Structure formats: structure tokens, C-alpha cells
Amino acid sequence: THTTTAVIDQHLRSSHTILINFPIMHATRIALARGKGKTIPIKLLSSVGTGFFYTTRKNVSRSTGKMATVKYDPIVKRRVLFNEAKIK
């Protein structure tokens, strides 16, 4: 067991040295290397006319039409249709 412990200890020391000698790549360099995103921010405006809206992101390459979804409007306390509108 003494030789096994010595071999494991030597392996740990050598692998520790290898890890320290590797260059560290920073996360900012990885983020800068990526391409431009294909999502745009949009506003989902309540169709009831209360003026309440949600904001979300939409992938323009996948969905080319206007987005519409049913969500909760707290002003009328019901689920209503929300249609896509431009963010001004």
C-alpha cells in the first residue's frame, strides 16, 4: 500500500503541475468570438385596450409573422390575447 500511495501522490503532483501550466481562457474572449444574435425585443400589447403589455424576445429567422399569444392581463383579471407591437 505504501508504493500505491506513493504512485498516487506522484500522479497528483504531476497532474497539478500540468493544470497550472495550461493557459487560462477568459469568458470575455469566448463571448466576443460569438456571432450576432438573431433575436429582437418585442412588446406584446393587450388586445382588450387596457394598455398592459409584456416584453419578450423573438427569433426573426424562425418566425417571420406577427406574434400573438394568450396571457394574463391583471387589469381585467382575465387571460386575453396579446398581439406583437413595436417597442418605441
Side-chain angles (χ1 to χ4, degrees), residues 23-60:
I24 297 172
M25 182 174 255
H26 296 286
T28 54
R29 290 190 179 187
I30 294 171
L32 291 176
R34 282 191 276 159
K36 205 171 174 186
K38 291 185 165 94
T39 59
I40 57 165
I42 60 165
K43 179 175 16 175
L44 294 172
L45 187 61
S46 175
S47 62
V48 180
T50 57
F52 187 79
F53 65 93
Y54 289 98
T55 57
T56 186
R57 298 187 72 78
K58 176 177 128 174
N59 190 336
V60 289

